[in-house]
Amino acid sequence: MAQNSLFNSALKQSSAVRRDLDAFAENPAASSPALQGQISASLTSLSRTIDDYSETAKKELIPAKQEKAYERIKNFRAELLDYRRTFDHLKKDREDS
């Protein structure tokens, strides 16, 4: 897959995860197991897309484009970490309620 389409895919997946986490955060106690499963699967998929994007970036021949991709990857990885922490926190809140 081309670098641009991997970036766009990661961007869409990141937005979808954020939307699902927001829905879960609105009412953790009433959220369905299906939503939690969807979030978990989306986090895994986003992680794989970021890994694929990283592999593609390593093969980029133009230094400026490679640096831009590396910066985007760094940002995606930070978002992913934040999403996982938020998800774990919300699951804990759900279990405690």
Side-chain angles (χ1 to χ4, degrees), residues 20 24 31-44 87 91:
D20 289 345
F24 189 11
S31 70
S32 70
L35 177 59
Q36 291 181 61
Q38 179 177 320
I39 293 170
S40 184
S42 294
L43 289 170
T44 300
F87 186 45
K91 287 192 303 185

Side-chain angles (χ1 to χ4, degrees), residues 27-68:
N27 193 354
S31 70
S32 70
L35 177 59
Q36 291 181 61
Q38 179 177 320
I39 293 170
S40 184
S42 294
L43 289 170
T44 300
S45 180
L46 177 57
S47 178
R48 287 186 184 133
T49 301
I50 295 168
D51 289 345
D52 289 347
Y53 186 33
S54 180
E55 286 302 311
T56 304
K58 288 177 188 175
K59 299 172 188 168
E60 177 58 59
L61 300 176
I62 302 170
K65 285 186 177 183
Q66 188 178 51
E67 276 306 308
K68 185 175 184 179

